[in-house]
Amino acid sequence: MSPGELKKSEPYDIFKQLPLEIINKIVLHLDFNDVLNLKLVNKMWRCVYVNQNEIWARICEDLNIRIIDYSRCLYDRSRHDSDCIGYACVASEKLFGPLCDYWETFNHYIMIIKNIKKNDFPTIYIRRQCVEQSYCTDDYIVNINCELKEPVKIIILNGANKPTNKKILPIFNEFEELIKLRKYPLKVIGNKRYLVFEICSIIFVYSIWKTQFTKRFFKVIQKSVEYGLNKDDFNEEFLNNHCDTKIDLYDHKLAMVHPAISTLFLTDLSTGKTYKELEFSSRKCIVDSMKCSDYRLMIGITRRKKKGLKTEHLAIVYHMKGCTQNNSLKIPLLGPVTQFKVTSNCIGVENTGSATPFITKQNNSYLNVFWLECDTFSFDCTRKYIYYNVNQSIFQYDLFKSMLSKFEVVQKIAVDAISNLLPLTPINDRYLLVRSTYPNSYDIFDVKEHVCVRSIQLTAGYSLVHVGKLSIMFSNSEEFMVIAFS
């Protein structure tokens, strides 16, 4: 075109000639800040080109943001008040239309980051009456008292500045009979989809949809489907032989370890089928810790050596993606495993010994093991850094740079700031919860600006019971104290 014709012509948008799938592929090659700038170009970019789940799913994956972790925020959003302070983008949606699911999740994540940075979050106190045992998540609190006619009650947490709801959990008859005995340990574990009670390898499973808890099934792990239908099945001998189990839950996958037979069982809660058994030791052992992840199982054991009275401590990692039981890695340790911490490309094994092993992913298998001398550690939620503490100081270990030996990978980011009594616990990629050097106090530590953004001073008797994406909880004998970020 000549300059005169170019001035007279309408603005030409080449992207209007491209299929949306091609535009997605182009945008996926851009970094995070470029995507944020693109949505400011014009209404077409904001409403159509950038407003795609494929684009924001990649961003959420990089930041380890899962929709299910922020689902309560999304439910709140669907019934929000337009004057709600927490949702400043309501006006934007009225002008430009709704956001895709992953973009909306990302915005709620950003809202929580800002709330923590500004100290803009309340403290909620919930009475704890006649409770023998509790289990806490971001969304609900399970209170158990075996002496009551209705032994299990659920407190639904609806977020900051909103009233809580109380529900009585419907009980399986077999579950009620077992807890009334008060002889065998009751274990509770749950997430946003399932709530599981376990007694002596018998599991009682509830499905969760929003605030509804529905009975799904009960079964005895390692026994036939018919086992447990007769009252005589749960005799005293059986219960005593199965009371030392441990359980863990990841999405719909429940892992149970039975130390007496050195076997680990995997059950799909969506189908109720136990689909894998792994024998982890040929000799009798003590199970110190276990962890279930997306396609990995980790177990820490202590057992006597074949010769002599000395004991050995092992961490065993199973890689489950289409692999057999033989695809495992065993790491000898100087002390028992206290807990496993996991990202998609690294596993850390916290133990009472002087050194901590980290197993990194190479070529779809876990082969590279390196060690750090530290008291406790935590992964950055974006899976790029390890934060660990030595002598009350926090260090940052760069996992990416560690692959390139010419770079310095360790940086000290806080000095004399924390107590060594509590593991570093991530809230999200920006903040850690640490135990302060002051008595009965915790700090929320900003790993990017290297400062504490809030100190939490507790009275005597409170203990930490939960750290999640949406809240931190403490409790004593009389009440729960919930610090709600959303």
Side-chain angles (χ1 to χ4, degrees):
M1 291 183 181
S2 66
E5 292 174 325
L6 190 60
K7 288 181 181 178
K8 294 177 183 178
S9 64
E10 295 182 0
Y12 179 68
D13 186 356
I14 191 174
F15 288 96
K16 288 183 178 179
Q17 314 303 316
L18 296 177
L20 193 55
E21 293 79 4
I22 299 300
I23 298 175
N24 282 353
K25 298 298 181 185
I26 295 172
V27 176
L28 285 171
H29 283 84
L30 303 177
D31 64 23
F32 171 62
N33 289 324
D34 288 334
V35 175
L36 293 183
N37 289 332
L38 277 178
K39 70 184 181 67
L40 303 176
V41 171
N42 57 34
K43 189 172 183 178
M44 192 67 178
W45 277 97
R46 160 61 178 76
C47 297
V48 181
Y49 299 154
V50 178
N51 193 17
Q52 301 296 322
N53 268 323
E54 186 179 3
I55 295 170
W56 290 97
R58 197 280 309 272
I59 292 173
C60 288
E61 168 65 20
D62 290 344
L63 293 172
N64 198 24
I65 302 169
R66 302 196 310 163
I67 285 181
I68 193 169
D69 290 332
Y70 297 87
S71 60
R72 190 182 75 206
C73 295
L74 299 177
Y75 299 150
D76 288 346
R77 184 60 182 276
S78 66
R79 59 176 187 265
H80 70 69
D81 186 295
S82 60
D83 296 326
C84 180
I85 296 174
Y87 302 110
C89 56
V90 170
S92 176
E93 286 199 13
K94 287 181 177 178
L95 291 173
F96 298 110
L99 302 177
C100 63
D101 291 342
Y102 279 97
W103 191 353
E104 194 170 349
T105 301
F106 172 80
N107 279 351
H108 290 300
Y109 158 80
I110 291 297
M111 180 189 74
I112 288 173
I113 292 288
K114 291 179 178 179
N115 286 349
I116 296 176
K117 187 173 183 179
K118 295 177 181 178
N119 272 307
D120 184 17
F121 46 88
T123 300
I124 305 167
Y125 294 92
I126 301 171
R127 295 290 297 171
R128 182 179 180 178
Q129 297 176 334
C130 302
V131 175
E132 296 177 348
Q133 184 177 345
S134 296
Y135 178 79
C136 302
T137 74
D138 279 339
D139 300 286
Y140 55 86
I141 299 173
V142 181
N143 287 329
I144 303 166
N145 188 336
C146 299
E147 292 185 346
L148 299 179
K149 183 179 179 181
E150 295 158 340
V152 183
K153 296 181 180 178
I154 309 291
I155 300 175
I156 307 296
L157 304 174
N158 294 313
N161 302 316
K162 295 178 182 176
T164 58
N165 299 329
K166 295 182 180 180
K167 290 180 176 290
I168 296 171
L169 191 72
I171 298 293
F172 294 89
N173 293 333
E174 295 80 3
F175 182 33
E176 186 173 10
E177 290 177 8
L178 286 171
I179 61 176
K180 294 295 184 184
L181 294 174
R182 302 172 65 86
K183 291 175 61 177
Y184 306 101
L186 169 63
K187 306 173 188 74
V188 188
I189 195 165
N191 55 26
K192 293 177 183 286
R193 293 191 177 107
Y194 296 98
L195 176 63
V196 181
F197 298 88
E198 188 267 341
I199 303 176
C200 302
S201 81
I202 309 162
I203 61 170
F204 301 89
V205 180
Y206 295 79
S207 62
I208 304 172
W209 172 245
K210 296 188 178 180
T211 62
Q212 299 301 316
F213 291 74
T214 306
K215 288 195 291 186
R216 285 291 303 275
F217 64 89
F218 83 94
K219 69 176 293 184
V220 184
I221 303 298
Q222 84 176 23
K223 293 289 185 179
S224 66
V225 176
E226 293 79 15
Y227 193 87
L229 298 180
N230 299 318
K231 189 174 182 180
D232 294 336
D233 287 343
F234 303 135
N235 57 49
E236 189 170 353
E237 181 183 2
F238 171 86
L239 296 173
N240 287 332
N241 290 337
H242 292 75
C243 63
D244 58 348
T245 54
K246 282 184 168 61
I247 58 174
D248 194 31
L249 179 64
Y250 182 85
D251 284 346
H252 58 84
K253 181 167 59 179
L254 179 75
M256 176 187 292
V257 62
H258 195 338
I261 57 175
S262 299
T263 304
L264 195 152
F265 301 89
L266 275 177
T267 302
D268 187 337
L269 298 183
S270 63
T271 62
K273 294 181 179 179
T274 299
Y275 62 93
K276 191 174 286 290
E277 298 181 17
L278 297 170
E279 185 177 346
F280 53 82
S281 177
S282 58
R283 305 195 303 275
K284 189 174 181 181
C285 64
I286 298 171
V287 176
D288 302 306
S289 183
M290 70 169 295
K291 179 75 174 178
C292 177
S293 184
D294 43 6
Y295 53 88
R296 294 154 295 175
L297 285 168
M298 294 135 276
I299 183 169
I301 65 173
T302 298
R303 64 185 182 185
R304 291 189 183 278
K305 293 185 176 181
K306 290 182 179 180
K307 295 181 180 180
L309 298 176
K310 291 185 177 180
T311 58
E312 63 176 345
H313 309 287
L314 290 174
I316 308 172
V317 179
Y318 291 99
H319 193 284
M320 306 298 296
K321 262 192 178 176
C323 299
T324 65
Q325 154 177 345
N326 295 325
N327 192 7
S328 62
L329 176 66
K330 295 183 179 181
I331 304 173
L333 302 169
L334 297 176
V337 176
T338 54
Q339 62 178 317
F340 293 92
K341 297 179 181 179
V342 183
T343 71
S344 60
N345 59 353
C346 189
I347 298 170
V349 186
E350 203 159 77
N351 63 92
T352 60
S354 58
T356 299
F358 293 87
I359 308 113
T360 55
K361 188 175 181 180
Q362 292 184 348
N363 300 323
N364 293 322
S365 61
Y366 289 83
L367 298 177
N368 183 35
V369 180
F370 66 93
W371 299 73
L372 292 175
E373 292 188 5
C374 60
D375 300 313
T376 66
F377 76 92
S378 175
F379 288 110
D380 168 43
C381 286
T382 60
R383 298 150 293 186
K384 296 177 182 177
Y385 303 105
I386 298 171
Y387 298 105
Y388 65 95
N389 72 297
V390 179
N391 297 328
Q392 299 183 337
S393 297
I394 302 178
F395 294 82
Q396 176 183 278
Y397 184 95
D398 192 316
L399 282 168
F400 177 74
K401 288 183 179 179
S402 67
M403 301 176 188
L404 308 170
S405 57
K406 62 181 179 179
F407 289 102
E408 180 65 35
V409 298
V410 177
Q411 177 186 4
K412 183 183 286 190
I413 61 176
V415 181
D416 298 331
I418 65 171
S419 167
N420 298 333
L421 299 177
L422 178 80
L424 303 177
T425 307
I427 299 170
N428 47 49
D429 71 303
R430 181 72 180 261
Y431 300 106
L432 292 174
L433 182 70
V434 301
R435 184 74 175 265
S436 171
T437 53
Y438 294 101
N440 299 322
S441 63
Y442 294 79
D443 290 333
I444 297 177
F445 185 79
D446 188 330
V447 298
K448 294 186 177 177
E449 296 186 3
H450 304 171
V451 295
C452 289
V453 297
R454 176 166 177 175
S455 292
I456 304 168
Q457 185 68 42
L458 303 172
T459 56
Y462 275 101
S463 60
L464 179 67
V465 294
H466 172 72
V467 180
K469 305 287 187 185
L470 307 180
S471 63
I472 300 172
M473 296 187 202
F474 302 90
S475 75
N476 60 17
S477 59
E478 297 180 352
E479 63 186 5
F480 295 97
M481 184 175 77
V482 183
I483 297 175
F485 304 137
S486 70

